[in-house]
Amino acid sequence: KQEVTQIPAALSVPEGENLVLNCSFTDSAIYNLQWFRQDPGKGLTSLLLIQSSQREQTSGRLNASLDKSSGRSTLYIAASQPGDSATYLCAVFSGGGADGLTFGKGTHLIIQP
Amino acid sequence: DTEVTQTPKHLVMGMTNKKSLKCEQHMGHRAMYWYKQKAKKPPELMFVYSYEKLSINESVPSRFSPECPNSSLLNLHLHALQPEDSALYLCASSLPSSANEQFFGPGTRLTVL
């Protein structure tokens, strides 16, 4: 059974810092990995998707990397802003059409103004 | 249109009520999903419809009944729920493809009294 772990569980940093969120998964046989952002009581916003054949994806100040063989992904946030405060979820897709995503427990991020 | 919509946003129901949650997408996606998210926990997969064929997570109680009237619409029928079923219910959709990027709706906040 696939298990996804995110470290740290919570992080509080001053505005402007660069930061790294970590995600690991136990079964390397994945099709893709997705990073999401969730604001309190809201739905999930897809930030980046990395397919299993890719090493990284970038969108604005966000960069996600994937090392499939070691079962690890990182989300790098450059020049953090208070608006980045949210919970960041890592999820892997391991199956065919009958499977959903397996999520980590998330990193709760607070950016101090 | 890259949006998944869910209605209602909030629902309060008694344990003897019957209610339904609705999800809709017009992105031409052929896979749709229901996830359940308890407070401070990651989303957990409940059901998947892929090309209008249902896959069931066997741990989901029969008081939850999904329906996919067409490829754009997904319902979740609720009957005789328990207070522990109170949660955020999230709908998602994807093509599906090897990329299988999932897009989530804003969720329905369900409270069972």
Side-chain angles (χ1 to χ4, degrees):
Chain A
K1 179 186 174 186
Q2 179 73 268
E3 293 183 1
V4 180
T5 302
Q6 290 187 246
I7 295 173
L11 183 62
S12 181
V13 300
E15 179 178 6
E17 284 201 5
N18 302 326
L19 52 98
V20 175
L21 308 183
N22 296 290
C23 172
S24 61
F25 46 95
T26 54
D27 185 348
S28 62
I30 65 169
Y31 284 84
N32 66 50
L33 183 145
Q34 237 176 311
W35 282 94
F36 294 90
R37 169 190 172 134
Q38 187 172 32
D39 293 289
K42 305 294 186 182
L44 276 64
T45 300
S46 180
L47 299 174
L48 289 165
L49 176 138
I50 310 177
Q51 296 189 54
S52 61
S53 59
Q54 298 173 326
R55 297 285 293 182
E56 66 178 303
Q57 284 285 335
T58 298
S59 176
R61 295 182 294 108
L62 305 179
N63 176 275
S65 67
L66 174 65
D67 185 340
K68 184 182 167 185
S69 61
S70 68
R72 296 180 186 273
S73 176
T74 61
L75 179 66
Y76 176 82
I77 303 176
S80 58
Q81 303 171 357
D84 295 331
S85 298
T87 295
Y88 289 80
L89 293 160
C90 167
V92 299
F93 179 66
S94 304
D99 277 352
L101 294 170
T102 301
F103 286 85
K105 292 184 178 180
T107 293
H108 180 54
L109 177 63
I110 296 174
I111 308 298
Q112 306 155 11
Chain B
D1 185 356
T2 58
E3 190 178 21
V4 177
T5 59
Q6 290 187 242
T7 54
K9 291 184 179 179
H10 302 276
L11 178 63
V12 179
M13 60 185 292
M15 289 188 284
T16 58
N17 292 157
K18 288 184 180 181
K19 297 287 185 183
S20 297
L21 310 184
K22 178 180 175 181
C23 174
E24 197 163 6
Q25 57 85 16
H26 296 287
M27 295 180 276
H29 290 173
R30 298 305 301 273
M32 296 186 76
Y33 310 80
W34 281 114
Y35 290 85
K36 173 182 177 180
Q37 186 178 26
K38 301 280 284 183
K40 300 190 185 302
K41 299 287 187 181
E44 294 182 344
L45 181 68
M46 301 177 72
F47 303 106
V48 182
Y49 274 92
S50 181
Y51 292 93
E52 291 146 55
K53 180 180 177 182
L54 173 64
S55 295
I56 297 176
N57 182 341
E58 294 184 353
S59 66
V60 178
S62 59
R63 55 187 183 267
F64 295 93
S65 174
E67 179 196 17
C68 189
N70 58 60
S71 60
S72 298
L73 189 58
L74 183 66
N75 298 318
L76 185 63
H77 302 297
L78 314 172
H79 174 55
L81 294 193
Q82 302 297 310
E84 60 265 28
D85 297 322
S86 298
L88 182 67
Y89 288 83
L90 295 162
C91 174
S93 71
S94 67
L95 272 174
S97 67
S98 59
N100 202 62
E101 183 172 10
Q102 292 192 22
F103 295 88
F104 282 75
T108 293
R109 173 70 62 188
L110 173 67
T111 302
V112 182
L113 301 176

